[in-house]
Amino acid sequence: MVREWDPRTASSDEVASVLDTLNAVLAADLPQDPPWRESSLREYLSEVMPGERRISWVAQAEPGPDGRPGPILGHLHVLLLGDIGVLEVLVHPDARRTGLGRELVLLAGRRVYQEGFQSIGVEVVGDTPAVAFYESLGFTREYVETRSVLDLGAVDWPALAEMATGIGAGYHLEFCPGGPPDDLIEAYARAKAEVRDVDDGELRPSSYDPQRLRDSLDTLHRRGMKPYIVLALHEHSGEVAGLTEVVVPAQHPTRADQYDTIVVQDHRGYGIDRAIKARMLLELRSAEPTLAEVQTWNAQANEAMLKVNAELGYRPDREWCEYSVDVAELVHRLDAAR
């Protein structure tokens, strides 16, 4: 049985069953990734940025002989933002190859089409069954990143401390747990705008204006995701010359997620990129003592940042791909195959 589902009002048992399916998928496809926890999972699944909407469905097994609800075997949600619907489909490994995945994608496609959107995007992890699945449905690969993972237990901390001080004269670093102070939000937004014209994919857009940044930080907190930021400040102008962002999610607090790392064009060549990332790791060591790993994603053409990450100890892990498809073509293809 497939039905629309609202995580805000769902029972605790249903949220726990979605978590079981998520962790079963991780164990099958990404066995080195830490399992997720139920901490703030309801909020993670329901909270969105202003102007965005998330629509969710679950596929639930029939009730057992005792009448108790069956487990949730599939979870689908579509995030409607900008001019695209971003899809995520989870099917329990025990329910794969039953047609459930195709049924969920068709359901999402019909809804996105009804909502007036023309395309669907999806993140697909390389070297998993999802690659062949989405390509069989007509999705086209648009963009590829490399995910790298840093094992904090293997970090050379004295060398890292030296890297954190290797920044040119006229700059200083500032650690901002929770987000930048409000008096730096506008300068922070100007620095973030450096990546506006960079082709870095469509599914995880950055925010470039001060209010949007405030909303983004607020949404992270509401979803149980704790942001940490290190800024490089140009002492003469007071401008943000560089920034790096890491988020520690309550759902998998032993592995943090790297978000943007940006060095403003006029301030490149002063060692800012390596210094801010090294300083971040040093601060996380104190602020998050249970943290074991940090994962980051980089465009394969971004050789400079890949080099910095390698110097810090990151090791390439998997390709992380973005696929898209025309909604009308998807729905027509899946309907014709029924």
Side-chain angles (χ1 to χ4, degrees), residues 6 80 83 89 119 139 178 194 196 236 243-244 247 260 268 276 280 282 291 302 328:
D6 186 347
L80 302 175
D83 59 356
V89 178
S119 63
F139 283 75
E194 280 281 310
R196 182 178 300 164
H236 178 70
L243 62 94
T244 191
V247 171
D260 283 342
R268 294 178 183 175
I276 57 178
M280 174 65 80
L282 291 167
L291 189 65
N302 191 350

Side-chain angles (χ1 to χ4, degrees), residues 3 41 71 86 99 105 125 131 143 193 224 247 280 282 296 300 323 326 329 332:
R3 57 185 170 84
L41 182 61
V86 180
V105 173
V125 183
V131 175
Y143 183 74
V247 171
M280 174 65 80
L282 291 167
T296 187
Q300 295 178 337
Y323 281 75
D326 179 88
E329 292 178 5
H332 176 75

Side-chain angles (χ1 to χ4, degrees), residues 61-326:
E62 295 298 323
D66 59 359
R68 292 174 60 85
I72 290 173
L73 300 176
H75 177 241
L76 159 69
H77 75 243
V78 175
L79 181 65
L80 302 175
L81 72 162
D83 59 356
I84 192 170
V86 180
L87 176 69
E88 183 172 350
V89 178
L90 294 173
V91 175
H92 195 287
D94 292 345
R96 290 177 176 175
R97 300 187 180 279
T98 64
L100 177 58
R102 294 174 69 91
E103 180 183 354
L104 293 174
V105 173
L106 176 57
L107 182 64
R110 286 173 173 166
R111 183 61 172 269
V112 171
Y113 184 77
Q114 292 169 1
E115 295 281 347
F117 290 77
Q118 295 184 342
S119 63
I120 286 180
V122 62
E123 287 191 339
V124 181
V125 183
D127 196 28
T128 68
V131 175
F133 173 71
Y134 284 106
E135 289 181 353
S136 74
L137 300 182
F139 283 75
T140 301
R141 184 179 296 196
E142 303 288 351
Y143 183 74
V144 181
E145 293 179 306
T146 297
R147 183 179 78 166
S148 300
V149 179
L150 174 64
D151 176 2
L152 295 178
V155 166
D156 183 341
W157 294 104
L160 201 74
E162 186 174 342
M163 292 181 195
T165 61
I167 190 170
Y171 298 93
H172 74 271
L173 304 186
E174 187 168 321
F175 176 56
C176 306
D182 202 63
D183 61 346
L184 286 175
I185 282 285
E186 292 190 7
Y188 188 74
R190 287 192 292 271
K192 295 271 280 187
E194 280 281 310
V195 298
R196 182 178 300 164
D197 298 324
V198 176
D199 182 18
D200 62 350
E202 297 288 337
L203 305 188
R204 285 178 279 140
S206 293
S207 300
Y208 309 118
D209 69 85
Q211 187 54 50
R212 185 74 173 169
L213 282 167
R214 293 185 184 97
D215 291 340
S216 178
L217 290 164
D218 179 61
T219 302
L220 285 173
H221 285 290
R222 287 187 285 111
R223 298 184 80 198
M225 306 168 76
K226 190 185 305 181
Y228 293 95
I229 295 167
V230 171
L231 303 177
L233 298 176
H234 185 230
E235 293 172 352
H236 178 70
S237 66
E239 285 294 300
V240 172
L243 62 94
T244 191
E245 307 162 332
V246 168
V247 171
V248 179
Q251 299 81 20
H252 51 89
T254 63
R255 179 180 285 191
D257 298 328
Q258 174 79 57
Y259 281 27
D260 283 342
T261 296
I262 298 166
V263 179
V264 175
Q265 182 70 39
D266 291 345
H267 300 281
R268 294 178 183 175
Y270 297 96
I272 291 174
D273 48 3
R274 190 173 70 164
I276 57 178
K277 295 196 75 169
R279 172 68 178 275
M280 174 65 80
L281 295 172
L282 291 167
E283 295 289 357
L284 288 174
R285 189 185 189 191
S286 300
E288 297 285 343
T290 63
L291 189 65
E293 299 170 310
V294 181
Q295 59 186 0
T296 187
W297 294 262
N298 297 102
Q300 295 178 337
N302 191 350
E303 295 181 3
M305 191 55 65
L306 289 170
K307 180 176 182 292
V308 168
N309 286 338
E311 292 172 349
L312 295 169
Y314 284 87
R315 296 292 177 261
D317 175 44
R318 289 177 183 257
E319 288 188 343
W320 218 263
C321 314
E322 293 183 3
Y323 281 75
S324 68
V325 70
D326 179 88

